[in-house]
Amino acid sequence: MKIALASAPTADKDIQKNLTYIAQAAEQCRGDADLIVFGEAVLQGFNCLTWEYEKDRKTAVSQTDAPIAQIRRIAKENHMAISFGYIEKSGDLLYSSQLVIDSFGTILFNYRRVSAGWKFSWLTDSRYREGEHFGSFSYMGRKFSIGLCGDLWTEGKPEEMRGENADIVLWPVNCNFEPEEWNRTVKYEYAVQAALCGDKVLYVNPFCVNPDAEDCSTGGAAYFKKGVIASELPAGGSGILLVEI
């Protein structure tokens, strides 16, 4: 199975631009990947929220909204599954979620981040929510689980993820490490942490194109295999890492 980890450009508060980036990456990988994985909240950009509920609910999208329908078409047209992060609206509730769409354009799995690090908890109310557990899905004979960013650093969660017994763990993040810091030292800390969660962990970080953003993600991707970096895309720019697994 070939999986593309797309450290794609991501623009805060610009869904249409981000849809273009997603489409371009999918087209680039057409015929070379069975699944393409994007980072946390790439649809709207991680810094899209204001923590004013009435504004944020307009930024969030539900699974039946037009942007999701467009990505479903992109998946079907390029004959590949797509997993991407978005700020989800479900009724009156908001989540940081990761959606998985199969190569026929069908929604396969929706994961809701279980740790609260995506939000300013001191400014939000109970309508900004987290999920309750990891869960899993199957695709092309492989069992997958997903942990978003700080989920896999949260006490007790690595053990819980291990308990899923997934063949492959997807780890989409939004990390703003200085590229030199990530490339020199931090990636090894993530490799060790990944080994607590699964034998095969695929990490992907978007590349934010808003340089003045407070939490501007700096790109990069990696395949962590039993605590070792089996392959990687360095931080500091956008790009795609193709992994055969």
Side-chain angles (χ1 to χ4, degrees):
M1 183 178 188
K2 294 182 179 179
I3 301 175
L5 303 178
S7 179
T10 305
D12 291 331
K13 304 178 182 180
D14 195 335
I15 288 176
Q16 289 307 311
K17 184 175 287 187
N18 293 330
L19 285 170
T20 298
Y21 291 141
I22 290 170
Q24 289 173 342
E27 290 167 7
Q28 182 178 339
C29 295
R30 182 173 182 171
D32 293 324
D34 303 300
L35 165 66
I36 186 168
V37 184
F38 297 87
E40 184 177 16
V42 296
L43 181 59
Q44 297 104 326
F46 189 77
N47 298 292
C48 65
L49 298 176
T50 66
W51 318 119
E52 295 179 38
Y53 176 76
E54 291 303 325
K55 292 182 180 179
D56 290 344
R57 70 184 302 272
K58 295 177 182 177
T59 298
V61 300
S62 73
Q63 294 180 34
T64 57
D65 285 343
I68 304 300
Q70 186 167 339
I71 297 176
R72 293 175 68 178
R73 288 194 296 271
I74 292 169
K76 187 174 181 179
E77 289 169 0
N78 289 283
H79 312 292
M80 73 176 66
I82 298 178
S83 177
F84 64 97
Y86 71 118
I87 303 302
E88 178 193 2
K89 176 171 57 182
S90 179
D92 292 330
L93 305 179
L94 306 182
Y95 300 88
S96 178
S97 300
Q98 187 84 7
L99 197 64
V100 182
I101 297 168
D102 70 16
S103 60
F104 297 100
T106 302
I107 292 175
L108 188 61
F109 185 69
N110 187 63
Y111 169 72
R112 292 167 176 166
R113 179 172 169 158
V114 296
S115 60
W118 67 282
K119 66 187 183 185
F120 291 2
S121 300
W122 59 95
L123 296 177
T124 60
D125 58 28
S126 61
R127 292 173 291 188
Y128 295 76
R129 292 283 185 91
E130 286 75 53
E132 297 179 357
H133 52 79
F134 288 121
S136 62
F137 67 96
S138 294
Y139 190 67
M140 293 184 66
R142 307 294 181 90
K143 182 180 179 181
F144 290 82
S145 286
I146 300 173
L148 275 171
C149 206
D151 288 348
L152 300 190
W153 289 97
T154 301
E155 185 176 357
K157 293 303 180 183
E159 295 82 0
E160 183 180 332
M161 178 60 84
R162 265 287 176 186
E164 291 290 333
N165 294 312
D167 298 313
I168 301 168
V169 176
L170 302 181
W171 195 1
V173 303
N174 186 284
C175 291
N176 62 347
F177 297 109
E178 289 294 329
E180 182 182 357
E181 181 186 12
W182 170 265
N183 295 330
R184 181 168 46 87
T185 60
V186 177
K187 65 183 182 182
Y188 298 110
E189 298 171 15
Y190 270 70
V192 171
Q193 189 68 18
L196 301 177
C197 305
D199 290 342
K200 298 176 181 179
V201 179
L202 302 181
Y203 164 100
V204 61
N205 189 31
F207 183 70
C208 177
V209 295
N210 302 92
D212 296 328
E214 183 177 347
D215 291 310
C216 193
S217 55
T218 51
Y223 170 22
F224 300 126
K225 186 176 182 180
K226 295 184 177 181
V228 174
I229 302 171
S231 58
E232 66 176 313
L233 176 73
S238 61
I240 296 173
L241 176 65
L242 190 63
V243 174
E244 189 163 5
I245 196 167

